[in-house]
Amino acid sequence: MELQIVLAILGAAGVVSAFLFALKGLLDQIPDVIRSWRRVVDEARRSHSDHDPGPEGQGSPSAGIDRSR
């Protein structure tokens, strides 16, 4: 009977240890995922603003400014 209790305690400790190890691995990846997501969003915004001519085909507000003066 005592042996079964010891084995149950060791088994439960092993399961908890494996769970914490897996959780730590997931949590360590979160900063990289956030950085990657921000890069994707920034690139999407940049490419969207480069290709979007504006409302009704108008250029950007500074498109008509003559900078040669």
Side-chain angles (χ1 to χ4, degrees):
M1 184 68 169
E2 292 174 11
L3 183 60
Q4 290 176 342
I5 294 172
V6 171
L7 287 176
I9 291 171
L10 288 175
V15 169
V16 169
S17 176
F19 173 75
L20 290 175
F21 182 77
L23 182 63
K24 182 186 179 306
L26 288 173
L27 292 176
D28 286 344
Q29 293 176 7
I30 288 176
D32 292 333
V33 170
I34 291 172
R35 277 188 226 106
S36 296
W37 177 251
R38 286 183 180 164
R39 274 187 258 139
V40 167
V41 170
D42 289 343
E43 185 62 31
R45 286 181 182 159
R46 191 175 311 126
S47 67
H48 180 69
S49 65
D50 290 345
H51 297 303
D52 187 17
E56 298 180 15
Q58 297 175 355
S60 64
S62 62
I65 297 175
D66 185 11
R67 295 188 180 164
S68 62
R69 295 181 190 181

